[in-house]
Amino acid sequence: ASQLLAGRFPGTRGALARVAATTTTSLPAAKAYFAAEQHMGSGRFSAAVDALHDAIRLDSTFAMAYYRLSHAAELIGDEAETRQAAASAAQLVTRLDDHYRHLFAATLARHQGDFVGAERAYSRLTIDYPTDADAWFGLGEALYHLNPMRGRSAIEARDAFVRVVELD
């Protein structure tokens, strides 16, 4: 049932939804996650945060829900929840393959301010998984925020963001 529901989402959200469907044993948690994805796609990030909280309440080991919560919280400017959710996701990777383990670790590094480590990890991910829009987005975010601090232009992030649009 979860796989069927996950099939409704296009692009990057669809890839994440398919992984989410296989990493929780709770159909109610999966449904809450899918509701959050719908909210994210509609730009209703606060509603997505609420739905992801529901998913986590229903399955406290749902790493993908924590991962997406970190993204939704970042979009509404809640830095504390962003970092906490990213840390939780990175700790709960036992049901995930190496690809998503590395993606979650890169995301945690970025949210903890380790932009050099994040850039390195995301760069590696974009080489190993060139069609992973989340990895490209993370690389763009790391470059956009890191480059001005090290005297380089944030414009260097442009290619990564263009790749995200192409993939999604």
Side-chain angles (χ1 to χ4, degrees), residues 1-152:
S2 290
Q3 287 292 338
L4 222 112
L5 291 171
R8 300 179 329 178
F9 297 97
T12 300
R13 290 184 310 116
L16 295 174
R18 286 186 295 281
V19 172
T22 64
T23 59
T24 183
T25 57
S26 168
L27 183 57
K31 285 180 169 181
Y33 176 90
F34 299 140
E37 285 296 348
Q38 286 180 310
H39 294 310
M40 294 279 281
S42 300
R44 296 187 316 266
F45 306 119
S46 292
V49 167
D50 292 341
L52 290 163
H53 281 154
D54 288 343
I56 291 163
R57 182 181 45 77
L58 293 162
D59 179 357
S60 63
T61 65
F62 195 177
M64 188 60 76
Y66 282 106
Y67 173 73
R68 291 301 277 165
L69 177 59
S70 73
H71 186 69
E74 180 180 25
L75 290 170
I76 63 171
D78 188 337
E79 292 180 27
E81 183 153 41
T82 297
R83 282 191 301 278
Q84 182 180 10
S88 294
Q91 290 174 350
L92 296 168
V93 295
T94 57
R95 295 183 193 165
L96 298 169
D97 63 17
D98 284 343
H99 172 188
Y100 286 96
R101 288 178 186 177
H102 293 297
L103 180 64
F104 287 15
T107 300
L108 178 60
R110 182 169 61 86
H111 291 309
Q112 289 180 332
D114 179 8
F115 291 114
V116 173
E119 179 185 7
R120 187 177 315 116
Y122 282 126
S123 293
R124 177 65 189 258
L125 280 162
T126 61
I127 292 167
D128 292 345
Y129 307 98
T131 60
D132 181 351
D134 262 27
W136 284 101
F137 180 80
L139 177 60
E141 283 288 302
L143 292 173
Y144 182 80
H145 295 288
L146 170 65
N147 280 357
M149 291 188 277
R150 59 183 178 180
R152 292 171 46 188

